[in-house]
Every structure is written in structure tokens, then in C-alpha cells.
Amino acid sequence: MEPSNRTAVSEFILKGFSGYPALEHLLFPLCSSMYLVTLLGNSAIVAVSTLDARLHTPMYFFLGNLSILDICYTSTFVPLMLVHLLSSRKTISFTGCAIQMCLSLSTGSTECLLLAIMAYDRYLAICQPLRYPVLMSHRLCLMLAGTSWALCLFKSVTETVIAMRLPFCGHHVIRHFTCEILAVLKLACGDTSVSDVFLLVGAILLLPVPLTLICLSYMLILATILRVPSAAGRRKAFSTCSAHLAVVLLFYSTIIFMYMKPKSKEAHISDQVFTVLYAVVTPMLNPIIYSLRNKEVKEAVRKVWGSRQACPRQPELCGPGGKRRKEMDWANHTAVTEYVLLGLREHHGLEIVLFVLCLSIYGATLVGNALLVGLIGLDPHLHNPMYFFLSNLSLIDICGTSSFIPLMLLNFLGIQRTISFPSCALQMFMTLALGATECLLLAVMAYDRYVAICQPLRYSELMNGQLCVQMAVLSWGTGFANSLLQSILVWRLPFCGHNVINHFFCEILAVLKLACGDISLNALILMVATTVLTMAPLLLICLSYTFILAAIFRVPSAAGRTKAFSTCSAHLTVVVIFYGTISFMYLKPKAKDPSVDKIITLFYGIVAPSLNPFIYSLRNMEVKAAMSGLLRGGLLTRKMSHF
């Protein structure tokens, strides 16, 4: 009977703070703001430690791993928790619960080991300074970090599999805001002794043992520091490990307080509130501690976004194979303070024509997409999954065109043909992120149409509000994560003073042509990302429409087939335009005049976003009805105010 008991639970209800609506409304803005700071702060630490060659040391390598851990750990539960704080339906699927449990266990355990490794690194840096580069080699750093990640992932998968294969006998209400393993085990109606043993052994190996190693390392460090004769030398030696020590004290003190404090009368709610703050606040504070207490990080931030040094006069040092190339990479990179966007400078008459044309299309894009978002927000009849995803698509079109068109229009008029280094980085990041997000969102919309036509009776159940939000967040998050990775890999390259971009905006391929370093890694990652984020969604769209067409052809009446097809015709038109222009742009023969390719890219970037709202409004009776209702309401309001 055990398999039947276990499979009887297809989803869990996360009770969280459902009995305290006022507390939920307080926690939502608090946790969302702290989560945003966590993402930005830790991403900044990763970016700065990657971009600045002076931070390519073991300490900052491990710090980058710690920041990635904090991002992953908070992302395992905070987004879903924020959705649950605003929703009355607080469910998570059986598989989703298992994945969340495994990832949170893995990242939390890895952080314990990583803090111990960082303490050992500080011990070698202070107690063995002359042998430090040999003892903490790049290979050893990779082995230590890789072993920590792999061991903790293996441990977490084992604990999760043992816990989730237990029978639950229909018990599915978790008294927690996340699938915490102890809260889930309380629902099991079978023998949990094996899980308890594994958890106990894991807790001993990953909490007291690393803490003992950290304490031992700092005892030796303090003994060494106290032997330093000068006060200035002691301060300098201690400053190299003060940030790490602060993070260790914060991490372990909150854990000790959480598990050793006396039980309160309202333990079930006060413990959860404290756990939320512990789990969200600690990852947020880590990058702040390391940046505020570390001169190297602050200097690196100023170097990345501030003034840049001049490139050395010997050009041979910038090229590949130069003897001092490794030492000069950062100086070469920082030689570029701004870029010149070439555009169509040689065709001034064409620039004037394009200015008028692009300005009018951009205006239509803003008005059309903003109007569509407004209609969807105002009309209750449009509050369904299809229009929710359509409003996301319209927001992407507005943000995507606004990331490059205003500056491009100034370029056409000759007012401004340059772009600063930070602005170029931001423009590339936004265009990459929004382009990838649109590909994923079109695939999600195709799945929505598949469910609507092939599973009409279960549509409301399958495409519930929570799933729609999760799919949209996943699309945006994946697009921005891909863009962050691509941008970091591009801007860490040396540019050797080359700053003329043969394009209208900071397009990644045009920028990569300026690099004087090895771009093979960039090309590989770009190819993989293009395959995953462009071709995979297209295959999903084709698969969805194969099932849709098969379902439509089974409808007996012609009127029924027409009605069924009309529900997805607008989306299909947008998909054909989007992927058709991409295919034409990359598969067409290369033109002799580079200006032709740039103009084709330009029209792909601005025409498609302007057509989307017209396609959905002209081919959709619901949108036209909402528009008519809005206009009638506006006319009625004006008449009443006149009288």
C-alpha cells in the first residue's frame, strides 16, 4: 500500500502565514525589496570579481562562489513565497516540492563548507604568505569549490529521495512557507528513522565540523597577527579576514539562535518569521559586508564604472601573444571610455528618411503596446492567461525598442554618435535579455493555446494564476540570467582602444569584433544560448501547433474549426513574423554593402514590435470590444462632466 499512499499526494499546501493576512501584506514588500537587493548585490560582486583582473585571486574566487550560492539559495523559495503572500492558493506540486527541498539543502550545505574553505584560505594568506601562491593554486581552488558543490548536491539528492519516497497517506498541508525537509517529514505516516539518521549525520558533518575548522583557522590567524610587531601591520593583517569573519559570525549565530532559543507560545509563527528573515537577510548582507569592509572591491567598482586608464603606447602588448598580455588585459580593457556608433554616417540623406520613419514607427509601438497593456489591466473580461502573457509581450516590446531607438534617433540627426561604456553595457544587456525573454514567452503562449484548444474542460485548472505567474517569471529570469552571463563574458575581454562599433547600437556581435583577445568562449556560449533560447522554443511552438491543428481538424463543423483556429491565429501570426524575420536576417546571402544588413536589422528591431498590438487588436473581437467599451465609457464620462 505504500506506493498508493505516497502517490495519493500530487501537491502540497504551504500553510505559511495564511492565518495572518496583515503579516503577509507586511512581509511582501519587505521580502521583495530584500530579495532584489540580494540579487543586485551578489550579481555585482560576481561581475566585479570577474571583470577586475586584480581580483582574480583565491579569496575573490571563493567569494564569487558564495555570491552565486546566495543567489541560488534565495531563488529556490523567495519567488514562490512572494506569490503565495499575495495569493489565496498556496500550493506546490510534488515534483516542485522535491526540487525546492533538494536545492535549498544543497546550497545551504555548500555554504557551510565554503565558509570553512575561505577560513583555510585566510589562514594560508596570513600564516604562510610566502608559500600562499603555491599552496592555494588555481587548480586547488577549483577542486575545493567543485568538491563542495558536488558533495553537497549528492547529499541533498540522497536526503530528498529518501524523504519523498515515504508514504504520506494523503497528508499534504506543510506548516511552513517552503518545503523544508523537517516540515515535510512531519507529514509522513511511515518510518522516518532512515531520514533522521541521514539528517543527523549530515548536520554534524556540515555544521559543527566546518565551524571547528573555522575556529581552528582563526586561532592560528590570531596567534600570527599578535606576533606582528607594528600596530599598522596587525590592522592590515586582520583587515584581510575581517569581512569573512563577520559573515561567519552572522551565519552561525543566526543558526545557533534559531535552533537553541527557548520555544515561544507562538512558536509556529514566530519561528517562521525568524526563518524568513534569516534566510533572506543573511544573503542580502554578505555582499554589503564584503563591499563596505574591502578597499579592493570598492576600488574595483570605481574602476569598472569610473574613469579608465590609458592604453599602453606599445600596441604589440595588446595583441594576442604579447609578452605582457596577461598583466595588461585590464588596462587594455579600461582604455575604452566610450564607443562611437558608426550607423549610416556615410548616407546622410538616408539617415533623415530613416529618422522620420523610425520615429513614427517607434511612436506607434509605444502607443499601441501601452494601450494594449492598459486595456488588459482595465477590462475584467481580459483577465485570463492569454492576455496576461500578451501584456508581458507588450512590455517587452516597449522596453526592447526603448533600449536603443532614442539614442539611434539622435545618431541619425548627428546630435550624438557616441555612447559611454556603462550605457553600452546596459544597452547590450537589455537587448539580449528582452530578446531571449520574448522567445520563451512566445513558447509559453503557444502552450497556453494548446491547453485552451486541446484541453478546454481542464483549461482553468491547468492554466491557473499561480502557474501563469511562475511561467512568466521563469521566462524573464532565464532571459536576464543568460544576458548577465553573456555581458560578463564580453566586458572582461581586452579592447585595446578599439571603440568604433559598425552598427546603430551595442549589438553583441558588433562589440565582439572590437575585442583583441580570444573570443572562442564567447562564441561557444553564444551558440549554445542561441540554440537553447531560440531553437528550443521554436520546436516547442511547432509541437504545440501540431497538436492544435490535429485537434482543430477533428472538430466536425466548419464554424467550430474557424472559431477554434481564431483563438490562436493572432499568436501564430506574431510567431511567423518574429521567427521569419530572424531566419531571413541570418540565412540570407551577405550583402556587398554593410549598410543593407544594418537597415534589415533595424527594421527587424522596430517593425515587429509595432505590429504585435495591431495584430492582436485587429484579429481579436475581445480586444476590439474592450476598446469600444473604454471609448464609450470615456465619452459618457465627458458628457456627464459637461452637464
Side-chain angles (χ1 to χ4, degrees), residues 28 264 333 345 353 432 468 505 518 551 566:
F28 179 81
S264 62
H333 172 73
R345 187 179 298 183
V353 174
L432 281 171
C468 292
F505 62 99
D518 182 14
S566 67

Side-chain angles (χ1 to χ4, degrees), residues 149-383:
W149 285 85
L151 282 177
C152 293
L153 181 61
F154 176 75
K155 163 194 167 290
S156 303
V157 169
T158 304
E159 291 176 348
T160 302
V161 169
I162 293 172
M164 300 306 284
R165 68 188 297 271
L166 289 168
F168 291 98
C169 308
H171 304 151
H172 64 289
V173 179
I174 300 175
R175 297 178 66 85
H176 212 283
F177 57 87
T178 183
C179 284
E180 198 259 347
I181 189 166
L182 295 178
V184 174
L185 284 176
K186 290 178 181 178
L187 305 182
C189 55
D191 184 13
T192 63
S193 57
V194 177
S195 292
D196 294 337
V197 170
F198 268 87
L199 286 174
L200 180 63
V201 172
I204 292 172
L205 291 177
L206 294 172
L207 286 173
V209 173
L211 182 58
T212 303
L213 293 174
I214 291 170
C215 293
L216 182 61
S217 297
Y218 274 104
M219 286 172 61
L220 297 173
I221 287 170
L222 287 174
T224 303
I225 289 175
L226 292 175
R227 287 199 297 267
V228 176
S230 66
R234 289 194 294 270
R235 280 196 300 271
K236 184 178 180 181
F238 186 75
S239 67
T240 63
C241 56
S242 58
H244 173 257
L245 187 57
V247 170
V248 167
L249 291 174
L250 178 66
F251 182 80
Y252 279 99
S253 61
T254 49
I255 288 179
I256 292 170
F257 175 76
M258 187 168 62
Y259 287 103
M260 299 189 69
K261 67 181 179 62
K263 285 280 184 183
S264 62
K265 293 181 180 179
E266 289 292 324
H268 62 282
I269 187 65
S270 63
D271 289 350
Q272 287 187 46
V273 173
F274 183 81
T275 305
V276 169
L277 296 178
Y278 150 71
V280 178
V281 171
T282 305
M284 178 189 72
L285 292 179
N286 290 352
I288 297 174
I289 292 170
Y290 270 99
S291 58
L292 292 179
R293 298 186 60 85
N294 197 302
K295 292 181 180 179
E296 290 177 324
V297 173
K298 289 188 281 188
E299 181 63 24
V301 172
R302 284 195 293 268
K303 296 273 310 168
V304 170
W305 301 110
S307 60
R308 291 166 169 79
Q309 301 171 357
C311 188
R313 294 182 180 179
Q314 296 91 341
E316 66 275 6
L317 297 180
C318 296
K323 293 181 180 179
R324 294 173 57 202
R325 170 65 186 278
K326 194 170 183 179
E327 290 79 6
M328 298 304 297
D329 269 356
W330 178 251
N332 293 334
H333 172 73
T334 56
V336 178
T337 60
E338 65 179 12
Y339 290 94
V340 177
L341 297 170
L342 197 59
L344 294 170
R345 187 179 298 183
E346 298 177 356
H347 306 275
H348 184 65
L350 182 59
E351 283 186 321
I352 300 301
V353 174
L354 286 175
F355 172 82
V356 176
L357 191 61
C358 292
L359 180 62
S360 58
I361 295 175
Y362 179 53
T365 301
L366 293 182
V367 173
N369 284 287
L371 186 59
L372 200 54
V373 172
L375 282 175
I376 293 169
L378 292 172
D379 195 327
H381 296 96
L382 303 183
H383 292 176

